[in-house]
Amino acid sequence: FFCQFLKEHGSLLEKQSNTEPLLKALHYLLLISEVDDTEISKICLEYWNALATDLYRESPFSSTASPLFMSRPVNSGTPARLGFYQPVLTKVRYIMISKMAKPEEVLVVENDQGEVVREFMKDTDSI
């Protein structure tokens, strides 16, 4: 419900002179996004995807700017709407990266016979 409300009426909240209610709503949605429930995370991810898509369509990255450097300081070249959402999107990135599936660690080692083999590691936190 909350995500759908923001999706449908977020643009109205952006146009108001007081954007604090929108910032609070986004903050609450960030907190909801951190919940360890897969279904809730998927619903929140749909909203964040819709927001990011909308922002990208409004001002796509130029060929000289890399999307990896989104956390750069807001300057005069950054559109106002993107600058407004930039701190929120940075937090979204951290949350989404922390929720990503961790790949299985594989080390390439030489065994006792001198053969190069792959060694699979289960516990990636100890590396």
Side-chain angles (χ1 to χ4, degrees):
F1 174 76
F2 195 53
C3 292
Q4 193 63 32
F5 175 82
L6 285 174
K7 219 184 267 191
E8 297 297 324
H9 305 294
S11 59
L12 295 173
L13 292 171
E14 282 179 24
K15 294 174 185 172
Q16 291 183 351
S17 60
N18 183 12
T19 57
E20 189 167 333
L22 178 58
L23 287 174
K24 279 198 180 279
L26 292 172
H27 174 71
Y28 286 130
L29 191 58
L30 281 169
L31 294 176
I32 293 170
S33 298
E34 290 178 343
V35 173
D36 284 335
D37 186 354
T38 306
E39 290 302 314
I40 292 174
S41 296
K42 285 180 182 179
I43 292 168
C44 293
L45 184 60
E46 286 178 18
Y47 171 75
W48 295 123
N49 184 36
L51 176 65
T53 302
D54 190 36
L55 290 171
Y56 179 76
R57 284 187 181 140
E58 182 180 296
S59 59
F61 294 113
S62 67
S63 59
T64 58
S66 171
L68 299 176
F69 300 115
M70 281 293 295
S71 60
R72 67 187 183 280
V74 179
N75 58 21
S76 60
T78 304
R81 188 166 181 237
L82 183 60
F84 175 77
Y85 284 108
Q86 210 163 23
V88 174
L89 292 175
T90 298
K91 292 175 185 173
V92 170
R93 261 195 319 277
Y94 286 124
I95 292 170
M96 293 305 138
I97 289 171
S98 71
K99 289 182 169 281
M100 288 173 66
K102 309 296 186 269
E104 187 175 5
E105 290 288 330
V106 178
L107 296 176
V108 178
V109 295
E110 189 175 335
N111 65 10
D112 297 334
Q113 291 82 24
E115 299 170 334
V116 177
V117 294
R118 289 186 282 174
E119 188 176 292
F120 296 94
M121 306 292 288
K122 295 274 185 198
D123 185 20
T124 59
D125 293 334
S126 65
I127 294 180

